[in-house]
Amino acid sequence: HSFQIKNNVYNLSREHFINLIMSNENLLITFIAILAGLGLTDLIHSFHRLLRKRHATKWHWIPLAHTFMSFQAMIIIWYNIRSELNSPLIETSLGFFVWLVPIILILLVMLAVLPDQLQDDGFDLLEWYFNQHQYYFILLTLFILSYTFNRFLMFEHTNVWYLPLLLGVVYIILIFTKNYWVHAIATLLLLSFFMLNYFLQHVGYV
């Protein structure tokens, strides 16, 4: 009888602990969903402004490619959130802050990738891209460094946790040059990297 009581107490304590973990996990997912929603909403709203003034806008594929990649970067982070919430890294406030840094940075990237305001007499998307490319790629470099650091701490991507650092090399180069062909070729390489990431996820390598 005493053993049964102890067993019942153990089961109740275990159930309470599991419910507490699930509650915290749901709160964190909701918090991240709010941040992701802010970035996606601004991105869609900025793109909507461009479409409304499409006849006065001089379009170019390079800024649009980076818009797509910033959107996909947030999707990739969101896709990996549930597995990362099981990491011991976020069990403390400091660890949670370290884990949160790349999410905040990619949010800033999404806010910076398209213009907030458009001129009524016409807008050159490529010119705008080169006018703010240093700020944009500094944000991306910081994001890659913090994201790679988190992957290393979590030991979740044991095979190629360092793979995003290759992006950091490209971003650093793009910070210091305004050469069109360098940006064009680098953008194509970055798009190829995203396609490679999809393939590696499909085969379970990352």
Side-chain angles (χ1 to χ4, degrees), residues 5-195:
I5 294 177
K6 290 181 180 180
N7 190 50
N8 291 337
V9 171
Y10 170 77
N11 289 333
L12 288 174
S13 300
R14 184 173 179 271
E15 182 178 352
H16 175 73
F17 179 71
I18 293 174
N19 290 335
L20 181 62
I21 291 177
M22 293 300 295
S23 176
N24 290 337
E25 181 178 308
N26 291 333
L27 287 174
L28 291 176
I29 291 176
T30 302
F31 178 67
I32 302 304
I34 292 173
L35 293 180
L38 288 173
L40 293 175
T41 300
D42 184 84
L43 191 68
I44 294 171
H45 187 53
S46 296
F47 189 65
H48 174 66
R49 282 195 295 265
L50 286 171
L51 290 177
R52 291 188 63 181
K53 296 188 176 182
R54 59 190 178 277
H55 299 300
T57 300
K58 187 176 181 181
W59 295 88
H60 199 278
W61 67 272
I62 291 180
L64 295 178
H66 285 281
T67 301
F68 167 77
M69 287 186 286
S70 65
F71 175 81
Q72 287 300 312
M74 177 59 81
I75 296 299
I76 291 171
I77 289 177
W78 177 255
Y79 181 80
N80 293 325
I81 276 181
R82 186 167 293 276
S83 61
E84 292 178 355
L85 288 177
N86 296 324
S87 171
L89 177 65
I90 64 172
E91 292 181 355
T92 65
S93 58
L94 178 60
F96 178 68
F97 173 76
V98 171
W99 178 77
L100 191 61
V101 166
I103 297 177
I104 294 175
L105 287 170
I106 198 61
L107 172 61
L108 293 175
V109 168
M110 296 178 70
L111 297 176
V113 70
L114 286 177
D116 295 322
Q117 297 179 348
L118 300 177
Q119 300 175 356
D120 294 331
D121 56 348
F123 187 83
D124 190 327
L125 197 57
L126 184 63
E127 180 182 355
W128 176 86
Y129 166 82
F130 278 115
N131 287 338
Q132 59 92 51
H133 78 282
Q134 288 186 328
Y135 171 68
Y136 175 71
F137 287 111
I138 287 173
L139 286 176
L140 279 172
T141 302
L142 294 175
F143 162 72
I144 286 298
L145 292 176
S146 61
Y147 182 66
T148 306
F149 180 66
N150 281 2
R151 287 164 62 106
F152 172 75
L153 291 179
M154 291 180 182
F155 297 105
E156 292 178 357
H157 305 272
T158 56
N159 293 317
V160 287
W161 62 266
Y162 53 83
L163 191 58
L165 288 178
L166 299 177
L167 294 179
V169 175
V170 178
Y171 293 149
I172 290 173
I173 293 173
L174 296 179
I175 290 173
F176 296 103
T177 181
K178 295 183 69 173
N179 183 280
Y180 171 81
W181 289 109
V182 172
H183 280 261
I185 294 172
T187 301
L188 291 175
L189 290 175
L190 292 170
L191 285 171
S192 300
F193 181 89
F194 272 83
M195 296 302 104

Side-chain angles (χ1 to χ4, degrees), residues 79-80 194-206:
Y79 181 80
N80 293 325
F194 272 83
M195 296 302 104
L196 174 63
N197 181 79
Y198 290 141
F199 172 75
L200 293 177
Q201 283 189 341
H202 179 71
V203 300
Y205 198 62
V206 298

